[in-house]
Amino acid sequence: MKNILVLGSEGFLGSVLVPYLLKTGNNIIGVDKCFFGKNNTKSNKFKLHQIDYKNMSKEFFFGFDVIIDLINISNDPASELNRKFTNITNYSNKINLYNKIKSSKKLQRYIYMSSCSVYGNNQNLITEKSKPKPISLYSKLCLKYEKFLKLKKKIPFTILRLGTLYGWSERMRYDIAINKIIRDMLFLKKIEILGGTQVRFFCHNEFACTAINKIIAENKKKTLNKVFNIGNFNTNIILLTKKILKITKYKDVNVYHEKNTIDKRSYKVSINSSKQFLKRNSNFDKLTNKSILDTFNKIKKDKKPFAKKKITLTVYKEFLKKNRI
């Protein structure tokens, strides 16, 4: 049993990760400003601090075996709303955090959630050795902080570059490709494709939790101070739409295709690194199909699929306006 701190525990991934880790018998402390509400159910092994982690004392961080950092303004349009605020959230605050935890003698691993979007536009098959070509402010700051961690080497870290996430969460998001496609086909009977030829690496949120948990449980040197691309399949948006319709067997959906798009990112990522986080001989295709069908079945039961809080951009717009940042 380990004492684990999850920064951003109430977000899209955090709201799946906390219950996942609780099942493995760990004690979890969450820290979150709760932009999107309190999304984890109460447990005697989970405690939430509703506060900005930059205001936590240095001593607070010394009690943890593992710190998982999920805090980022991770939506590209949201990150561009207020570049100063994004720089502070995605980089400056993390440097301050690093300076607080670097002298912790108990810390076994700091896990930082980065993104495969650091690869920008690349026609070759991506591995961790591929040269990053970040385009957005979000991806540039992810890479900048990665470089800081690698340069300092004062704490034991693992960097996970996640593919585009999807799946059900108590803090649901419909501004990410698979979730939005499924929502629109269910409740609007239509799917809108912008561009569509851009390739993406996708990662089911529960698979991301599996990778995180394995790093925590094994704590082996093979993941120490290293970067891993994490996801379960690649496809472009046109083929993704066809895949979802085929898996779900959903009929009577109108598909609209607008060839122009401002999204310049396109990258295909090797799944070789991801394989080591699953059981031997696991079938990625079956796991992917099951995860998409599971996401479909859960979204189908969503009673408020168009709630404002389920669009990251909308939430940050309201926050910035309210706080005059």
Side-chain angles (χ1 to χ4, degrees):
M1 182 176 68
K2 295 183 178 181
N3 293 319
I4 299 174
L5 173 63
V6 180
L7 300 174
S9 62
E10 308 308 294
F12 176 71
L13 181 55
S15 298
V16 180
L17 179 63
V18 168
Y20 188 102
L21 294 179
L22 285 173
K23 290 178 182 178
T24 62
N26 296 293
N27 289 318
I28 314 292
I29 297 293
V31 173
D32 200 299
K33 292 173 71 173
C34 299
F35 276 134
F36 310 99
K38 297 178 182 179
N39 300 302
N40 283 298
T41 56
K42 292 182 178 179
S43 167
N44 59 4
K45 289 192 174 182
F46 173 70
K47 181 179 180 180
L48 172 65
H49 293 274
Q50 187 176 348
I51 189 173
D52 192 326
Y53 75 98
K54 71 179 182 181
N55 297 323
M56 306 297 280
S57 69
K58 180 178 179 180
E59 289 71 24
F60 169 80
F61 296 99
F62 285 2
F64 299 101
D65 303 297
V66 178
I67 297 175
I68 303 169
D69 188 353
L70 306 179
I71 294 178
N72 263 323
I73 299 175
S74 56
N75 175 275
D76 278 0
S79 71
E80 299 289 346
L81 283 173
N82 186 313
R83 295 176 69 88
K84 181 180 178 180
F85 179 64
T86 301
N87 270 281
I88 291 171
T89 303
N90 291 17
Y91 187 73
S92 299
N93 285 350
K94 295 188 184 299
I95 302 302
N96 292 333
L97 170 68
Y98 185 93
N99 289 329
K100 288 180 180 179
I101 66 177
K102 66 182 181 181
S103 57
S104 173
K105 295 180 180 179
K106 189 175 182 181
L107 185 63
Q108 298 173 11
R109 196 63 57 95
Y110 169 73
I111 303 175
Y112 170 59
M113 226 52 54
S114 185
S115 169
C116 279
S117 66
V118 299
Y119 296 115
N121 192 314
N122 199 315
Q123 302 302 314
N124 300 314
L125 181 65
I126 296 293
T127 70
E128 289 80 1
K129 294 181 179 179
S130 301
K131 183 178 179 180
K133 301 176 182 178
I135 297 173
S136 67
L137 176 62
Y138 163 59
S139 57
K140 289 177 181 177
L141 292 176
C142 281
L143 186 61
K144 186 177 181 180
Y145 186 55
E146 283 188 21
K147 289 180 177 179
F148 176 86
L149 287 173
K150 294 174 187 176
L151 179 65
K152 295 298 182 179
K153 292 184 179 179
K154 295 287 185 180
I155 60 174
F157 67 83
T158 302
I159 296 168
L160 299 184
R161 289 176 178 166
L162 299 183
T164 301
L165 287 168
Y166 68 95
W168 179 260
S169 170
E170 291 303 314
R171 191 267 125 163
M172 195 53 180
R173 284 183 63 183
Y174 289 118
D175 51 9
I176 43 183
I178 292 177
N179 289 1
K180 185 179 187 302
I181 289 171
I182 293 175
R183 181 200 67 176
D184 290 355
M185 62 184 266
L186 278 168
F187 299 103
L188 298 177
K189 304 295 182 183
K190 70 177 184 179
I191 299 171
E192 294 179 337
I193 300 174
L194 300 178
T197 58
Q198 60 270 41
V199 180
R200 285 290 186 280
F201 189 41
F202 290 94
C203 180
H204 187 222
N205 53 16
E206 289 189 9
F207 177 57
C209 293
T210 299
I212 293 167
N213 183 59
K214 192 159 187 178
I215 293 168
I216 294 169
E218 293 187 351
N219 196 28
K220 291 184 177 179
K221 289 185 177 180
K222 66 180 180 180
T223 63
L224 180 63
N225 297 348
K226 292 183 180 179
V227 178
F228 296 93
N229 296 327
I230 300 297
N232 41 294
F233 76 108
N234 294 278
T235 190
N236 67 39
I237 307 303
I238 294 171
L239 295 177
L240 173 63
T241 300
K242 293 178 179 179
K243 184 180 184 71
I244 292 172
L245 290 171
K246 182 179 179 180
I247 291 170
T248 61
K249 299 179 181 179
Y250 202 71
K251 306 294 183 181
D252 302 321
V253 179
N254 294 314
V255 179
Y256 301 93
H257 189 188
E258 171 57 58
K259 293 184 179 181
N260 295 321
T261 177
I262 61 173
D263 190 351
K264 304 300 181 183
R265 296 168 298 158
S266 184
Y267 45 85
K268 182 177 181 180
V269 182
S270 169
I271 62 171
N272 286 338
S273 290
S274 296
K275 287 180 178 179
Q276 67 178 285
F277 294 101
L278 287 179
K279 294 178 181 178
R280 184 176 295 180
N281 299 323
S282 293
N283 188 314
F284 264 56
D285 288 338
K286 286 184 178 180
L287 289 170
T288 294
N289 292 350
K290 182 180 182 302
S291 68
I292 290 175
L293 187 59
D294 180 64
T295 303
F296 169 82
N297 287 328
K298 289 179 178 176
I299 290 177
K300 187 164 56 175
K301 298 176 183 178
D302 192 346
K303 294 181 180 180
K304 296 181 179 180
F306 296 97
K308 289 182 178 180
K309 70 176 184 178
K310 296 176 182 179
I311 302 296
T312 301
L313 184 65
T314 302
V315 174
Y316 279 117
K317 276 184 178 179
E318 292 180 353
F319 172 81
L320 292 169
K321 182 178 180 181
K322 182 179 179 181
N323 292 274
R324 297 181 181 180
I325 296 175

